[in-house]
Amino acid sequence: MSETRIDHDRLFKELLSTFFEEFVLLFFPHVHEQIDFHYLSFLSEEVLTDVTAGEKHRVDLLVETKLRGEDGLIVVHIEHQSYIQSSFSERMFIYFSRLFQKHRRRILPIAIFSYDAIRNEPSSFTVSFPFLTVLDFRFLTVELSKLPWRTYIRHDNPVAAALLSKMGYNEEEKVEVKKEFLRMLTRLELDEARQRLLFGFFETYLRLSEEEEVRLRDEVKTMEEKEAAKVMELIVSYEKKGMEKGIEKGIEKGIEKGMEKAKLDVAKRMLAKGFDADTIHELTGLPLETIEQLKP
């Protein structure tokens, strides 16, 4: 059975657009000091066409904002990369040049690398000759797999909590990572919609086996009583929501199966009364091939 394809870009876009300021504060505090977050506007999705390669690329996230003490606007471009691409830095420059051509504003490019492999990604694209450097384009980067997850549990930051699931942990640490995520979630005290966003993001990338879930509960019981109660309440709450969702899906499937069976029964009775296949198809919506198979 093939795995359901994960829309990584959509997940990251949803997380970062909801918690944009928290993202900048977490990874680029020196940038956070300079941005005026009272002015934030998320720009419409940009689709850039590469005529030579015959491809279209969607820019992940564009944010229009201001620097403190300045009147002019700037654009922050955040690009998420979930797979290794040797020409990525060149693509970042192409995006930059196209966006600058359209907006004619200063653009701050940021790249987030979320694949599991550990490698040194470039943060620049250069065009040069022995006698002249024509271009030295630079951008900010976040390489999640190289980040020590334990360092980030000290941050009461929703982006840090969600991205624990993509940081540098090993298989033996998965239970502990989820435990610390849940502890962070209880400390953040977010509204239900934002809490659900973080939980859904985390569970997409770090899912425990049944045995690991049992170990998690055992470890939660060893916490301080008040904190343990909050974390356990969170676990039970999301397990209940998951069960309810499963029941809803089951009911939907049951209804669909029941409707299909009813259509087949009607088709059989219509065939017995001499109706032709085209008429039955028009009235029931069943494929002609299925109707033919029902004929005695």
Side-chain angles (χ1 to χ4, degrees):
M1 192 175 190
S2 60
E3 286 188 17
T4 304
R5 185 179 177 277
I6 299 172
D7 190 344
H8 302 284
D9 291 341
R10 183 191 62 78
L11 283 169
F12 272 81
K13 183 175 182 177
E14 190 174 0
L15 176 69
L16 300 183
S17 58
T18 304
F19 300 106
F20 174 71
E21 182 177 356
E22 291 86 347
F23 165 74
V24 177
L25 176 62
L26 181 66
F27 294 116
F28 309 106
H30 62 295
V31 176
H32 185 271
E33 290 175 2
Q34 300 295 324
I35 292 181
D36 180 358
F37 289 94
H38 291 100
Y39 182 90
L40 278 183
S41 176
F42 292 91
L43 303 181
S44 58
E45 188 176 72
E46 297 274 0
V47 179
L48 305 179
T49 304
D50 185 338
V51 178
T52 306
E55 299 175 346
K56 287 185 178 180
H57 301 284
R58 296 180 186 275
V59 173
D60 288 341
L61 189 64
L62 284 179
V63 185
E64 187 178 69
T65 184
K66 293 182 178 181
L67 295 184
R68 296 182 191 273
E70 293 188 13
D71 292 331
L73 299 173
I74 68 167
V75 174
V76 180
H77 165 215
I78 301 176
E79 192 67 20
H80 165 247
Q81 186 70 1
S82 61
Y83 59 94
I84 295 171
Q85 183 183 36
S86 59
S87 60
F88 179 77
S89 59
E90 179 182 336
R91 179 154 67 88
M92 281 294 285
F93 168 68
I94 292 170
Y95 284 4
F96 175 87
S97 60
R98 299 276 184 86
L99 292 171
F100 182 79
Q101 184 180 29
K102 177 176 180 177
H103 296 280
R104 296 293 176 175
R105 291 185 190 141
R106 286 180 293 176
I107 296 171
L108 176 63
I110 301 173
I112 306 173
F113 300 96
S114 69
Y115 50 75
D116 295 332
I118 297 177
R119 51 183 268 135
N120 294 319
E121 283 288 351
S123 58
S124 64
F125 176 67
T126 306
V127 177
S128 65
F129 297 94
F131 51 83
L132 177 67
T133 298
V134 176
L135 173 69
D136 187 10
F137 168 72
R138 298 177 181 274
F139 51 96
L140 298 174
T141 62
V142 178
E143 295 181 71
L144 292 174
S145 64
K146 294 166 73 172
L147 299 180
W149 67 272
R150 292 180 191 277
T151 302
Y152 288 87
I153 62 177
R154 302 188 187 100
H155 297 265
D156 282 340
N157 184 307
V159 176
L163 292 181
L164 286 181
S165 60
K166 292 299 292 177
M167 291 183 186
Y169 58 84
N170 56 45
E171 283 294 310
E172 289 71 33
E173 294 175 317
K174 284 171 64 180
V175 172
E176 191 177 357
V177 173
K178 184 168 182 180
K179 180 184 75 174
E180 294 301 335
F181 163 73
L182 292 169
R183 294 178 73 183
M184 291 174 77
L185 214 53
T186 58
R187 293 198 303 269
L188 287 167
E189 297 182 345
L190 300 168
D191 59 72
E192 186 180 352
R194 293 186 175 205
Q195 190 180 83
R196 187 174 293 186
L197 167 60
L198 297 183
F199 203 97
F201 186 100
F202 185 92
E203 288 274 298
T204 298
Y205 293 110
L206 196 161
R207 191 173 290 275
L208 300 182
S209 65
E210 288 184 16
E211 182 184 343
E212 288 169 331
E213 287 289 352
V214 172
R215 278 176 48 207
L216 173 65
R217 285 171 177 264
D218 289 341
E219 290 197 19
V220 169
K221 289 173 185 175
T222 66
M223 293 180 189
E224 184 270 326
E225 187 177 349
K226 195 172 181 181
E227 185 182 32
K230 285 183 178 179
V231 172
M232 194 60 73
E233 185 182 345
L234 198 62
I235 292 173
V236 171
S237 170
Y238 277 93
E239 282 182 350
K240 184 181 176 183
K241 285 172 186 170
M243 286 173 64
E244 288 172 353
K245 196 172 180 181
I247 290 168
E248 284 175 11
K249 284 185 178 178
I251 291 170
E252 286 173 7
K253 285 182 180 177
I255 290 170
E256 286 174 7
K257 284 182 180 178
M259 289 177 68
E260 192 69 19
K261 186 177 184 302
K263 286 181 182 179
L264 292 171
D265 289 342
V266 169
K268 286 177 182 176
R269 288 199 296 271
M270 290 179 76
L271 284 169
K273 291 182 179 181
F275 284 86
D276 62 87
D278 287 333
T279 302
I280 297 171
H281 165 68
E282 186 178 341
L283 293 174
T284 64
L286 288 171
L288 287 170
E289 183 181 337
T290 301
I291 296 166
E292 290 295 332
Q293 290 172 355
L294 293 175
K295 289 181 179 179

